[in-house]
Amino acid sequence: MPAPKNSIRRSLLVTSAILLSTALTAPVALAVPSPSSSPSATPPATMSSVGGARLGQPGTQVNLASGVPVLPKELSARSWIVADAESGEVLAAHNAHWRLAPASTLKMLFADTLLPKWPGSAEHKVAPSDLAGIGPGSSMVGIKEEETYTVHDLWLGVFLRSGNDAVRVLAAMNDGIENTVKEMNEHAEELQALDTHVVSPDGYDAEGQVSSAYDLTLIARSGLQKKAFREYASTVRADFPGETKKNKKGKKVRTSFEIQNTNRLLSGDYDVPVYEGIAGVKNGNTTNAGATFTGVAEQGGTVLLVTVMNPEKGGSNAVYKETAKLFDWGFKAVGKVEPVGELVPPKSAVRAGAQADASASPGEAGGAGDATPGAAGAEPVASAPAGGGADGMGTALAVTGGALVLLAGGAFLVNRRWPLPDLVRRRPRP
């Protein structure tokens, strides 16, 4: 009797995980090509195979078969990927590991690296040196020297307005740009985002600064496990502190002004409607990168991640239009199309799986009981509003922890359900 399709797929995934765990000890320099911020017009013939051999091949990778919808026409992006955020299965991809300039989508890595460091209520008075070195033409939220901001304010500036000034202030709080870049590169390696090399933490064009559609999707998936990340990424608009000035009576007052998320699938635009079920994540645009975007959306209980890099046709909102088309395809294709690869877990998850395998009794999944927080089957943790004047906050993900899953009869433990965005709810907006 032939093995069921799911069992065959699981065995293949286990095999890839074993090979992956072996590769973790290899020097990174051997795993990826040297970075370049000026890629050729065509993808290299050989790219990283993290997540599966097909993801390292140039061109479009998809398993079209009877019942599988045809991919959207007129996709002009240099690189894109459609993945199931829960299972990690890559449904389709195009030059997934092509190392390209990321623009402000790199701020997802910045946030995923630094968000746990301070509570939102922490305050910081901006020194002139905090804002030094911001590149000309940078996107700004409007931070002023000698004014005090909460960390919550600063993160709103990063996520909604893609403010390089907010990034610089947070980096200054983190012992400076050099230290922040170092930590971001270390975190990228931990996530196995091996196409990524950080030079400037705000995503501003810099020689050697690159990422890939695959890596940006991994990074987004990691960030969405953090409650604060989900809240900021899904906030449509908020009040931001202005500059302290004297009023007509000579009294010092500080008013606020409204900022709106520049993610057009979340906030909408004249030619781009709000996408059903959208929950963030981050957009970017620079001269070298063109337009880049990673989005997460839920429909019918399925949560998808889509990354699109540098559409070459379609105008200023092409990146959102092509993302929406890929979301539409993905929601129709999920459950019908055989995946072409997978989003790998972080190194620490692979190591934890191996350690749990060594200690678990036969039939146990790392010894985790049903009552363990984050275990499979546990109730999802609800996400609360971001507060601070946020209006019409978009979808917030609720996350259950990824329980270790025992595969291949106990031969290898791998966290196949890491991470597990379990629920997305669309909140009505006025």
Side-chain angles (χ1 to χ4, degrees):
M1 179 178 175
K5 186 182 295 183
N6 287 342
S7 297
I8 295 172
R9 184 188 303 173
R10 175 172 289 186
S11 298
L12 292 173
L13 290 172
V14 172
T15 302
S16 67
I18 294 171
L19 294 173
L20 178 61
S21 65
T22 303
L24 295 180
T25 59
V28 175
L30 298 179
V32 295
S34 59
S36 170
S37 60
S38 301
S40 64
T42 57
T46 302
M47 295 178 281
S48 168
S49 60
V50 171
R54 289 190 63 178
L55 298 182
Q57 297 175 12
T60 301
Q61 308 301 319
V62 63
N63 289 318
L64 292 178
S66 178
V68 176
V70 177
L71 283 167
K73 297 179 180 179
E74 300 179 355
L75 294 175
S76 66
R78 283 184 161 194
S79 175
W80 54 259
I81 191 169
V82 182
D84 186 310
E86 178 178 272
S87 69
E89 293 178 344
V90 177
L91 307 184
H94 180 75
N95 301 326
H97 280 292
W98 193 1
R99 306 183 87 199
L100 300 167
S104 286
T105 46
L106 194 65
K107 289 182 172 79
M108 294 188 298
L109 179 60
F110 175 77
D112 195 35
T113 304
L114 268 63
L115 259 173
K117 297 203 171 200
W118 313 282
S121 59
E123 295 185 344
H124 178 78
K125 186 175 182 179
V126 177
S129 59
D130 294 350
L131 300 175
I134 297 176
S138 288
S139 52
M140 310 277 271
V141 69
I143 289 173
K144 302 298 182 182
E145 297 176 2
E146 305 300 333
E147 293 284 5
T148 298
Y149 298 85
T150 66
V151 166
H152 175 78
D153 295 330
L154 295 172
W155 283 121
L156 285 172
V158 171
F159 277 87
L160 274 66
R161 298 302 303 171
S162 203
N164 289 8
D165 48 355
V167 169
R168 291 282 166 157
V169 173
L170 287 162
M173 294 172 62
N174 192 49
D175 295 329
I177 297 295
E178 183 177 348
N179 180 62
T180 299
V181 167
K182 173 178 173 289
E183 290 184 358
M184 289 173 67
N185 280 317
E186 290 172 348
H187 189 50
E189 185 176 345
E190 155 63 16
L191 295 179
Q192 301 200 67
L194 303 181
D195 299 323
T196 300
H197 180 72
V198 181
V199 178
S200 179
D202 48 24
Y204 193 82
D205 285 340
E207 182 65 32
Q209 180 154 276
V210 288
S211 190
S212 67
Y214 182 88
D215 280 15
L216 293 172
T217 308
L218 277 188
I219 292 163
R221 194 180 187 218
S222 175
L224 289 166
Q225 306 318 296
K226 296 175 174 64
K227 179 181 177 182
F229 188 105
R230 298 193 302 273
E231 292 172 349
Y232 290 125
S234 61
T235 299
V236 180
R237 58 183 65 84
D239 290 331
F240 193 82
E243 188 175 7
T244 301
K245 296 181 179 180
K246 289 184 178 180
N247 61 16
K248 294 180 180 180
K249 296 182 179 180
K251 183 179 179 181
K252 288 185 178 181
V253 294
R254 191 179 188 188
T255 58
S256 61
F257 57 93
E258 184 180 274
I259 58 175
Q260 183 169 306
N261 203 311
T262 54
N263 171 359
R264 299 309 183 199
L265 290 187
L266 188 68
S267 60
D269 203 359
Y270 73 97
D271 61 342
V272 179
V274 174
Y275 191 81
E276 180 185 353
I278 192 69
V281 173
K282 190 72 191 72
N283 58 314
N285 198 320
T286 65
T287 301
N288 195 34
T292 60
F293 180 65
T294 297
V296 63
E298 181 273 343
Q299 290 183 16
T302 296
V303 185
L304 295 182
L305 282 161
V306 172
T307 295
V308 172
M309 300 187 76
N310 196 359
E312 298 176 330
K313 300 178 182 178
S316 59
N317 282 331
V319 73
Y320 303 110
K321 294 176 181 179
E322 295 196 12
T323 298
K325 289 180 180 179
L326 288 168
F327 269 131
D328 287 345
W329 177 86
F331 286 122
K332 293 175 183 176
V334 70
K336 300 175 184 177
V337 65
E338 287 292 319
V340 295
E342 64 173 333
L343 301 177
V344 296
K347 288 183 178 181
S348 57
V350 175
R351 288 192 295 266
Q355 292 168 0
D357 183 34
S359 61
S361 300
E364 291 181 332
D370 292 340
T372 303
E379 289 297 317
V381 181
S383 177
D391 171 50
M393 190 174 91
T395 312
L397 294 175
V399 181
T400 58
L404 293 172
V405 178
L406 186 61
L407 300 180
F412 189 77
L413 267 175
V414 59
N415 196 347
R416 282 292 307 136
R417 302 192 70 180
W418 188 98
L420 184 59
D422 181 67
L423 180 66
V424 178
R425 290 194 178 98
R426 183 69 185 159
R427 297 185 180 183
R429 291 206 294 268

